[in-house]
């Protein structure tokens, strides 16, 4: 068998092998598009030895720090670190978060080797503070390594990647938590049906999504995770989001109609992923993953950075031991029955809305800024109480008991930059919705139809915008087209009419109609289809306002809580 060279740690009775002799042309391939196509097609999945050689080739091409531990380092330190201890009983490093080591198709020697390699990685990478996927990564690569030292070097190169545009493995709790929030953002936008189910059956949806990496590296059967890794080494981190979203979609399709207990949804998801072979092939999983029209790699990276910045601002950078992470506690307590009171929506309805908003704002508690019941029906009072807050949530109840609203990403004071001229502003995170008589959310049209927008140069202005793109080398100050529409040169200005305000009216959504129009006295309004959100009327097309509320987002960590979050 040609696989014996890379089969030292493999239990061949558990391993599916095609045994085909394939052309090694892929080893000389330098064209990225061709390599991407071959990886997606599973070209080297049919030969164990060819896959091993491709992995070595791709990993050796990863740009790394100057001093990156290699196989010779492993041979030097493994004896000193392991000593006479039984490899199978070696403790796991703290940064793996008590994660079980998947055995996949490893033999007993291989299972012990995983722990030895993890121990040596912990010794050589002291900066790693949280990396729960690492046991799976080591176990997977050990199937395709000639010896322990080669596997150690491969994993070290992945960890030591220093390409700023190539993110591979989260190595801190902050990065991991930001990834979970980013996955939540993507699930809310690209998996609305599954996301709605998760919100309905779970007490804290972000707690469910915190397992998204575990689904991939831990729960997926070996054949599936190897196919995922084939593509991951070529295309990078974005593939992980794609496949996890596809898993969520298939779970909703296969299990959505069955009753689930809210406290078991995480277990149900885990069971589904482990048994995915009963319903979905690896090919179908990847096909579904690549059919999702995700944001670009840059946009996802910048969204991740925005989430990371929000966590840093709240002092959430280190995982607390033996308790829920601070972010989990915040999300759970964000809309609390004891301290939330609205004349328009119930606690459950507000929690549903909270599940729609970007994760970095879902860490905050709702704060009532304005209500006509207390502050009067006046647009000037509306601005007085709302300006200085970003983002805001607008809720409206009509005299017919219909309920609708909008999530508005930008401070209302932005309207002043156009002087007395009514001008649109805001970003692609804005959305409109109705709650009564039925629930429906309408997001920016470009999320579902990205072909309507194209990225402009750094000196272009967004139609109807008063600002130019910041020209800075600091990526944390650059927003993605999703987070700031002024990066777009849109064929139609009506695709970016998010929010506008003057002394005469408020308008949300534009182009061939307005999603919401409110008059200067906040007594009457109208709603219709508009191009920006491609929405249906949110209530009766002309309506009288009974109650209007505007909610802001309050940081719900006090100073004592902020200190305790940092260990």
């Amino acid at each position: 068998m040609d696989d014996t060279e890379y089969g030292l740690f493999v239990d061949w009775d558990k391993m599916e092998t095609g045994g085909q002799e394939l052309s090694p042309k892929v080893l000389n391939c330098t064209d990225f598009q061709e390599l991407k196509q071959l990886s997606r097609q599973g070209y080297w999945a049919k030969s164990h030895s060819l896959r091993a050689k491709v992995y070595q080739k791709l990993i050796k091409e990863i740009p790394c720090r100057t001093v990156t531990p290699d196989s010779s380092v492993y041979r030097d330190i493994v004896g000193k670190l392991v000593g006479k201890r039984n490899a199978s009983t070696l403790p796991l490093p703290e940064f793996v978060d008590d994660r079980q080591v998947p055995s996949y198709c490893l033999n007993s020697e291989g299972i012990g080797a995983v722990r030895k390699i993890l121990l040596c990685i912990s010794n050589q990478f002291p900066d790693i503070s949280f990396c729960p996927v690492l046991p799976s990564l080591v176990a997977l690569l050990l199937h395709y390594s000639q010896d322990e030292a080669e596997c150690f070097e491969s994993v070290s190169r992945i960890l030591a990647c220093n390409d700023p545009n190539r993110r591979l493995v989260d190595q801190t709790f902050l990065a991991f938590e930001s990834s979970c929030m980013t996955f939540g953002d993507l699930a809310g936008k690209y998996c609305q049906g599954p996301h709605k189910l998760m919100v309905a059956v779970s007490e804290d949806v972000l707690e469910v999504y915190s397992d998204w990496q575990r689904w991939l590296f831990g729960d997926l059967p070996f054949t599936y995770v190897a196919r995922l890794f084939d593509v991951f080494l070529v295309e990078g981190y974005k593939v992980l989001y794609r496949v996890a979203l596809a898993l969520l979609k298939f779970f909703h399709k296969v299990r959505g109609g069955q009753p689930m207990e809210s406290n078991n949804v995480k277990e149900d998801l885990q069971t589904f992923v482990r048994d995915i072979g009963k319903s979905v092939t690896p090919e179908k999983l990847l096909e579904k993953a690549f059919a999702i029209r995700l944001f670009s790699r840059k946009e996802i990276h910048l969204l991740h950075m925005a989430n990371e910045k929000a966590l840093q601002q709240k002092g959430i950078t280190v995982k607390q031991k033996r308790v829920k992470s601070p972010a989990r506690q915040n999300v759970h307590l964000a809309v609390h029955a004891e301290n939330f009171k609205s004349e328009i929506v119930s606690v459950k309805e507000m929690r549903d809305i909270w599940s729609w908003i970007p994760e970095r704002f879902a860490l905050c508690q709702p704060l009532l800024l304005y209500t006509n019941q207390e502050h009067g029906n006046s647009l000037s009072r509306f601005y007085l109480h709302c300006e200085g807050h970003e983002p805001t949530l607008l809720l409206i109840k009509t005299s017919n008991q219909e309920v609708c609203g909008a999530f508005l990403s930008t401070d209302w004071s932005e309207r002043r930059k156009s002087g007395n001229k009514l001008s649109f502003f805001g970003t692609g995170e804005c959305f409109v919705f109705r709650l009564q008589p039925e629930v429906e959310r309408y997001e920016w049209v470009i999320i579902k139809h990205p072909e309507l927008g194209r990225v402009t140069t750094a000196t272009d202005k967004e139609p109807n915008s008063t600002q130019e793109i910041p020209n800075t080398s600091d990526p944390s100050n650059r927003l993605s087209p999703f987070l700031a529409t002024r990066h777009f040169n849109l064929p139609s200005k009506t695709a970016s009419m998010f929010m506008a305000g003057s002394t005469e009216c408020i308008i949300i959504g534009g182009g061939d109609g307005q999603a919401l129009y409110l008059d200067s006295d906040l007594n009457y309004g109208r709603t219709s289809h508009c191009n920006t959100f491609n929405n249906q009327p949110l209530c009766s097309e002309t309506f009288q306002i009974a109650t209007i509320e505007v909610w802001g987002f309050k940081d719900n960590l006090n100073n004592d809580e902020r200190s305790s979050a940092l260990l």
Side-chain angles (χ1 to χ4, degrees):
M1 180 184 295
D2 70 337
D3 295 334
T4 53
E5 183 182 3
Y6 297 95
L8 179 62
F9 304 105
V10 175
D11 182 340
W12 291 105
D13 291 334
K14 298 178 182 178
M15 193 80 163
E16 294 181 22
T17 56
Q20 289 116 318
E21 288 292 333
L22 297 173
S23 168
K25 64 176 182 178
V26 66
L27 298 176
N28 300 316
C29 179
T30 56
D31 180 74
F32 174 75
Q33 291 301 324
E34 183 182 357
L35 200 58
K36 184 166 80 169
Q37 185 178 12
L38 291 171
S39 69
R40 291 189 181 188
Q41 291 173 348
Y43 180 82
W44 53 80
K46 300 166 186 174
S47 166
H48 189 86
S49 62
L50 182 59
R51 178 182 258 161
K53 291 171 184 174
V54 172
Y55 282 3
Q56 296 303 318
K57 162 190 160 62
L58 294 175
I59 291 172
K60 286 187 183 301
E61 290 173 355
I62 295 175
C64 296
R65 298 193 289 261
T66 305
V67 181
T68 298
D70 58 15
S71 56
S72 62
V73 170
Y74 181 82
R75 294 186 184 98
D76 287 343
I77 65 174
V78 65
K80 301 170 188 174
L81 294 176
V82 175
K84 295 182 180 180
R85 289 180 290 177
N86 187 325
S88 62
T89 62
L90 289 173
L92 294 175
E94 284 192 16
F95 60 66
V96 306
D97 193 35
D98 297 325
R99 187 69 59 91
Q100 293 294 316
V101 178
S103 58
Y104 293 135
C105 301
L106 293 175
N107 55 28
S108 58
E109 185 179 356
I111 294 170
V114 172
R115 290 179 175 266
K116 290 164 65 177
I117 294 168
L118 286 170
L119 185 64
C120 292
I121 287 173
S122 176
N123 174 267
Q124 292 296 301
F125 290 85
D127 292 338
I128 297 179
S129 58
F130 195 78
C131 191
V133 304
L134 203 53
S136 300
L137 191 63
V138 173
L140 174 66
L141 283 171
L142 204 53
H143 292 75
Y144 301 100
S145 301
Q146 292 180 315
D147 54 30
E148 295 172 15
E150 184 177 83
C151 180
F152 170 83
E153 180 173 331
S154 295
V155 176
S156 294
R157 291 192 65 83
I158 291 172
L159 293 172
C161 174
N162 65 355
D163 183 345
N165 299 314
R166 190 174 184 182
R167 178 161 154 253
L168 293 176
V169 179
D170 297 328
Q171 299 177 41
T172 66
F173 178 72
L174 181 62
F176 172 84
E177 192 78 354
S178 302
S179 296
C180 294
M181 292 170 65
T182 302
F183 179 76
D185 286 327
L186 297 175
K189 299 200 174 299
Y190 294 101
C191 301
Q192 291 194 11
H195 182 66
K196 185 177 180 180
L197 174 67
M198 293 300 106
V199 172
V201 301
S202 63
E203 197 169 299
D204 182 357
V205 70
L206 187 54
E207 180 70 15
V208 176
Y209 292 154
S210 69
D211 274 348
W212 79 275
Q213 292 188 25
R214 185 192 294 261
W215 304 339
L216 306 178
F217 295 103
D219 295 334
L220 269 181
F222 179 76
T223 303
Y224 292 74
V225 75
R227 284 297 306 277
L228 165 63
F229 199 70
D230 292 344
V231 188
F232 168 73
L233 279 181
V234 176
E235 300 187 41
Y237 200 95
K238 183 178 176 181
V239 170
L240 305 185
Y241 285 131
R242 284 189 177 280
V243 175
L245 291 171
L247 287 170
L248 203 56
K249 283 178 175 284
F250 276 121
F251 174 77
H252 179 244
K253 179 180 179 181
V254 175
R255 300 290 300 276
Q258 301 176 19
M260 287 181 289
E261 297 294 334
S262 61
N263 60 344
N264 283 334
V265 65
K266 288 183 68 171
E267 184 179 324
D268 287 348
L269 257 165
Q270 188 176 42
T271 301
F272 171 77
V273 176
R274 286 177 175 174
D275 296 337
I276 194 169
K278 297 177 181 178
S279 54
V280 183
T281 65
E283 291 72 27
K284 285 293 183 185
L285 179 62
L286 290 177
E287 182 182 322
K288 175 74 76 174
F290 290 110
I292 301 171
R293 303 176 69 183
L294 273 186
F295 299 139
S296 70
R297 185 178 291 104
K298 176 187 174 184
E299 291 169 295
I300 292 174
H301 170 67
L302 292 169
L303 180 58
H304 175 90
M305 290 177 65
N307 285 329
E308 196 168 281
K309 184 175 182 180
L311 289 170
Q312 287 175 319
Q313 289 173 341
K314 291 173 173 57
I316 302 169
T317 59
V318 180
K319 182 177 174 64
Q320 289 187 336
K321 297 180 180 179
R322 295 180 298 279
V323 297
K324 279 185 175 182
S325 72
R328 300 282 180 267
Q329 294 172 332
N330 292 345
V331 173
H332 175 56
L333 298 176
V335 185
H336 199 283
E338 293 180 2
N339 55 24
F340 174 76
K341 181 174 173 56
S342 167
E343 299 299 321
I344 299 178
V345 296
S346 66
V347 171
K348 181 186 182 304
E349 287 172 325
M350 194 61 152
R351 283 176 174 167
D352 288 343
I353 295 171
W354 233 242
S355 74
W356 297 339
I357 65 176
E359 295 288 0
R360 64 189 186 279
F361 302 124
L363 296 174
C364 303
Q365 291 177 332
L367 173 68
L368 185 62
L369 303 176
Y370 165 84
T371 170
N372 62 339
Q373 303 290 325
E374 180 180 344
H375 303 111
N377 288 62
S378 163
L379 200 49
S380 61
R381 288 182 177 272
F382 174 98
Y383 291 137
L384 176 66
H385 289 277
C386 297
E387 288 181 358
H389 294 270
E390 179 179 299
T392 54
L393 179 70
L394 172 69
L395 297 176
I396 298 169
K397 178 184 280 188
T398 73
S399 57
N400 292 331
Q401 303 303 303
E402 301 158 304
V403 175
C404 61
F407 173 79
L408 303 168
S409 64
T410 306
D411 191 332
W412 278 106
S413 64
E414 188 83 7
R415 66 190 175 87
R416 300 179 183 276
K417 294 184 178 180
S418 298
N420 296 323
K421 179 183 176 183
L422 186 70
S423 180
F424 283 88
F425 53 96
T427 76
E429 289 192 309
C430 293
F431 61 83
V432 295
F433 59 89
R434 64 168 175 257
L435 294 180
Q436 300 288 346
E438 67 278 329
V439 177
E440 192 68 53
R441 174 175 48 141
Y442 300 98
E443 297 191 284
W444 185 27
V445 65
I446 286 182
I447 290 175
K448 290 186 177 179
H449 299 281
E451 70 277 2
L452 294 178
R454 62 181 179 83
V455 179
T456 65
T457 63
T459 57
D460 286 334
K461 283 188 178 181
E462 147 69 12
N464 292 323
S465 171
T466 58
Q467 294 183 340
E468 290 186 353
I469 305 171
N471 186 10
T472 170
S473 58
D474 181 1
S476 65
N477 291 328
R478 295 199 305 270
L479 296 176
S480 72
F482 169 59
L483 297 175
T485 57
R486 58 180 177 268
H487 280 241
F488 272 103
N489 179 12
L490 299 170
S492 168
K493 293 182 179 181
T494 61
S496 61
M497 292 180 170
F498 297 111
M499 50 192 292
S502 67
T503 57
E504 303 297 323
C505 65
I506 281 174
I507 297 174
I508 298 165
D512 296 333
Q514 294 151 348
L516 281 172
Y517 172 95
L518 307 181
D519 69 8
S520 59
D521 295 325
L522 298 182
N523 280 322
Y524 293 94
R526 60 177 183 261
T527 177
S528 65
H529 169 272
C530 77
N531 292 342
T532 300
F533 299 110
N534 192 28
N535 61 287
Q536 295 300 310
L538 302 179
C539 56
S540 302
E541 293 195 13
T542 58
F543 57 87
Q544 184 174 0
I545 298 171
T547 309
I548 182 170
E549 295 175 350
V550 179
W551 294 81
F553 294 76
K554 177 185 177 183
D555 183 350
N556 58 335
L557 274 182
N558 60 36
N559 289 334
D560 291 338
E561 289 170 327
R562 192 184 308 279
S563 298
S564 66
L566 295 169
L567 297 180

